[in-house]
Amino acid sequence: MEEAAELPPAPAAARAVFGDRFPEAVRYAELLADAGVKRGLIGPREVPRLWERHLLNCAVLSEAVSDGVSVCDVGSGAGLPGIPLALVRPDLQITLLEPLLRRTTFLQEVVELLGLDHVTVVRGRAEEMLGKVEPVHVVTARAVAPLDRLASWGVPLLRPYGEMLALKGDTAEAELQGARAALSKLGAVRTSVLQVGEGVVDPLSTVVRVEVGESPGGVRFAAKRAKAARTGRTRRRR
């Protein structure tokens, strides 16, 4: 395996963004640069740009998230964007959803080491979680899948009138255009492309926002949602 480069010092912007949790952000960066590379969670060539391209790029997503809401980070991987978001936003209740055991093991270690009491790690595939996790206000994702496929996994996990925030790169506008029909079928009522991180990251972080109406997942998931609700009530009665 290619040896990882040395982690560079944190940029000045990191102190401003992470505030009181800056020491924990440094510890997380060190874990990614060491265990994260050794366990194959990030590539060794990413280490020199961990701060700008990964931690800060994800932390500025907080600009688009309302106060005090519940969040599910779909396909969390090494914890991006969920962990940086948790560090800057202790007011959020965050679930890190990830199907691979080696990744959930790493995530659980990070959550415990950094004292992130408002973060829960769940192992599973998003498309199998309907009725197994509480619906959330916000679904986040980064580098998981093309937008139409990502939405089919993430949107059904939303509460009515919730939103999905997907960190995307230069392809954001094109992906959104190509996914409009699929998003409409999933109950999306409004879509937009935002740029966040002014004065922190260059280039700015690009976010696709998908807002849903009263039926997240659309007609296709209405029956599944009703069945999951009935199953949940049956379990509570026992």
Side-chain angles (χ1 to χ4, degrees):
M1 185 178 69
E2 184 180 347
E3 189 173 339
E6 187 176 345
L7 177 70
R15 290 183 179 274
V17 169
F18 290 103
D20 293 344
R21 301 310 296 266
F22 174 71
E24 286 85 355
V26 171
R27 187 73 188 104
Y28 177 50
E30 291 170 346
L31 287 166
L32 286 175
D34 184 7
V37 173
K38 289 175 181 174
R39 299 189 199 181
L41 303 180
I42 66 162
R45 294 182 183 180
E46 295 303 309
V47 173
R49 49 190 184 180
L50 264 180
W51 282 106
E52 285 83 357
R53 181 166 177 163
H54 297 287
L55 273 74
L56 289 172
N57 177 273
C58 290
V60 296
L61 181 62
S62 66
E63 295 175 22
V65 181
S66 301
D67 294 341
V69 298
S70 54
V71 178
C72 182
D73 187 31
V74 169
S76 196
L80 301 164
I83 296 292
L85 186 61
L87 286 170
V88 298
R89 294 291 299 277
D91 60 303
L92 305 176
Q93 291 297 318
I94 299 178
T95 298
L96 306 179
L97 181 59
E98 168 57 47
L100 294 184
L101 177 60
R102 64 188 171 88
R103 292 176 181 169
T104 54
T105 300
F106 175 78
L107 291 173
Q108 193 60 53
E109 291 170 3
V110 170
V111 165
E112 292 173 8
L113 188 66
L114 302 186
L116 300 174
D117 298 335
H118 58 305
V119 178
T120 303
V121 178
V122 174
R123 185 184 175 200
R125 297 182 180 280
E127 60 268 36
E128 298 169 356
M129 288 294 112
L130 190 63
K132 296 180 183 179
V133 294
E134 287 292 319
V136 295
H137 297 93
V138 179
V139 162
T140 59
R142 178 181 189 249
V144 173
L147 187 60
D148 53 351
R149 200 185 324 156
L150 173 62
S152 73
W153 299 337
V155 166
L157 301 179
L158 291 170
R159 293 169 50 144
Y161 307 104
E163 61 185 14
M164 184 178 76
L165 299 172
L167 277 162
K168 292 285 183 179
D170 297 338
T171 63
E173 290 282 2
E175 280 197 56
L176 183 53
Q177 289 300 326
R180 285 198 188 280
L183 293 174
S184 180
K185 289 179 181 177
L186 287 166
V189 295
R190 209 167 10 257
T191 59
S192 54
V193 175
L194 319 173
Q195 290 199 306
V196 294
E198 183 74 45
V200 178
V201 289
D202 184 18
L204 299 178
S205 298
T206 302
V207 182
V208 175
R209 171 179 266 153
V210 177
E211 301 171 73
V212 301
E214 62 184 15
S215 185
V219 175
R220 191 154 63 106
F221 284 88
K224 290 184 180 180
R225 197 180 301 280
K227 181 180 179 181
R230 286 196 300 273
T231 302
R233 286 195 295 271
T234 303
R235 283 184 187 142
R236 284 194 292 273
R237 279 198 220 95
R238 287 175 182 166

